[in-house]
Amino acid sequence: MRIVVPAGGIGGARFLRGLKAALGIGAPATDEQTTVNTITVIGNTGDDITLFGLRICPDLDTVMYTLGGGIDEEQGWGRADETFTVKEELAAYGMKPTWFGLGDRDTATHIVRAQMIAAGYPLSAITEALCDRWRPGVRLIPMTDDQVETHVVVDDGGGRRAIHFQEWWIRHRAALPAEQIISVGADAAGPAPGVLAAVAEADAVIIPPSNPVVSVGSILNVPGIREAMVGKTVVGVSPIIGGAPVRGMADACLTAIGVETGAGAVAEHLGPDLLDGWLVDDADAGTVVEGVEVRSRPLYMSDPAATEAIARAAVDLAVELAGRGAADGGTGG
Ligand code: GDP
Ligand code: CA
């Protein structure tokens, strides 16, 4: 099977590890293995930020490090065995900001990227080059080679202003009420090379439990991507369980765009025209989304085996719904 996954960082990467296991990617080949499974990840670049002259792509790097075996497992982002000497030295120079966790090992990645940007390479080519080292077992393509940045409109008493998503998320821990979340540059952006072809060739699109607004939402906001996916069999995994995000502050993002923090509400927001199937946790059994096949099962990615089982359930539902679409003569839209 050929699967396309629009993914953010931590949640997306953890799910992808389970999906690789479920599809036998990275496992030793067996004699009976007759089909070739592939995963193309469309990575979120809305969180990207330029700091200290370095372009930083947190979600692409989280996917690359997680699947390539270099992630800090506890934290879920950044390199394992990381040190922060560069960060301390920058602070000693009075360089701002000080709230971003720039690690030494990680900085090498950003230097490689900066050098390739200076040489004129697009982000998609740079990501491919970085993946030559990490061999993540998936094809990782940024959603766009154009600059799209998520900004958040806040009012901290001193008037309304837009700040970079990272400043809102990390510095303010998403505690400053957000009035609006904007994908700056999205209107003029286009999908990176390979994105639309991967979607066109895919047997299914699986939406992982990533942030539905600033990760999955940013990817779908790039003109052309959502439209290409609508015609495919699309199955999503709810990032909301029992009315709350499992980790992180996705509820603050949903509130900012006027969507209730609920498994059903997120599916309605993604849209029944896009979604064919939606997995919710057993805590949300009974959720009804018109036009979408909703199934419940445990959705906590508590360990690799549990995550693999969630991924397998998503693949199984996609196969079932694709078959049904074929029987109806439809395209699974
Ligand atoms: P990203 O969006 O992939 O960059 O990663 P985040 O970790 O920021 O967001 C993932 C989102 O998925 C979180 O906001 C949670 O709502 C959700 N999430 C995190 N862990 C789990 C889990 O174990 N199961 C499910 N179903 N959702 C999760
Ligand atoms: Ca993210």
Side-chain angles (χ1 to χ4, degrees):
M1 275 188 96
R2 287 156 299 188
I3 306 232
V4 163
V5 180
I10 305 178
R14 289 205 169 130
F15 178 81
L16 281 163
R17 195 146 60 175
L19 185 62
K20 276 175 66 180
L23 295 176
I25 296 174
T30 61
D31 290 343
E32 308 93 84
Q33 210 166 14
T34 51
T35 55
V36 179
N37 294 320
T38 63
I39 300 171
T40 301
V41 178
I42 303 176
N44 173 42
T45 60
D47 295 8
D48 294 8
I49 186 167
T50 301
L51 297 174
F52 317 113
L54 302 171
R55 190 73 184 154
I56 297 172
C57 306
D59 283 358
L60 293 178
D61 289 351
T62 296
V63 169
M64 183 173 80
Y65 293 154
T66 302
L67 302 184
I71 199 81
D72 180 321
E73 292 286 347
E74 283 289 299
Q75 221 171 219
W77 57 270
R79 291 292 315 279
D81 303 319
E82 188 58 288
T83 52
F84 291 89
T85 306
V86 170
K87 184 176 189 251
E88 287 161 21
E89 288 292 313
L90 288 168
Y93 282 109
M95 293 280 280
K96 298 267 185 336
T98 52
W99 45 260
F100 195 86
L102 188 69
D104 299 332
R105 288 177 190 274
D106 204 20
T107 296
T109 303
H110 308 320
I111 291 173
V112 174
R113 183 181 289 121
Q115 185 160 330
M116 290 190 73
I117 289 172
Y121 288 96
L123 185 61
S124 51
I126 297 169
T127 304
E128 202 179 325
L130 292 170
C131 285
D132 266 349
R133 171 182 173 194
W134 290 102
R135 312 219 162 261
V138 300
R139 183 168 176 218
L140 175 61
I141 315 178
M143 65 191 197
T144 180
D145 276 339
D146 301 315
Q147 189 160 314
V148 175
E149 279 190 358
T150 305
H151 288 204
V152 181
V153 178
V154 296
D155 187 346
D156 53 4
R160 292 175 86 228
R161 64 198 169 97
I163 58 177
H164 192 286
F165 169 73
Q166 297 290 2
E167 184 176 356
W168 181 66
W169 191 253
I170 298 172
R171 184 181 185 187
H172 299 291
R173 308 292 306 155
L176 272 183
E179 295 182 358
Q180 235 182 312
I181 296 181
I182 309 166
S183 278
V184 178
D187 291 353
V195 166
L196 295 184
V199 175
E201 288 162 11
D203 298 299
V205 174
I206 295 184
I207 300 179
S210 277
N211 188 304
V213 182
V214 296
S215 294
V216 175
S218 298
I219 298 165
L220 297 177
N221 276 344
V222 176
I225 295 186
R226 188 182 195 283
E227 294 79 352
M229 289 179 174
V230 162
K232 311 301 286 192
T233 300
V234 181
V235 169
V237 179
S238 176
I240 302 299
I241 298 182
V246 181
R247 271 183 288 269
M249 308 157 288
D251 49 334
C253 299
L254 287 165
T255 303
I257 62 162
V259 175
E260 181 201 328
T261 301
V266 171
E268 296 281 4
H269 170 67
L270 290 171
D273 62 323
L274 175 70
L275 286 179
D276 297 284
W278 186 239
L279 293 181
V280 301
D281 189 79
D282 285 332
D284 298 301
T287 298
V288 176
V289 183
E290 206 179 325
V292 180
E293 183 72 31
V294 181
R295 300 273 170 86
S296 71
R297 70 171 328 282
L299 284 192
Y300 284 102
M301 299 188 287
S302 41
D303 58 57
T307 308
E308 180 180 344
I310 296 168
R312 183 167 290 120
V315 171
D316 288 348
L317 182 55
V319 169
E320 182 188 327
L321 295 176
R324 199 186 285 179
D328 293 346
T331 54

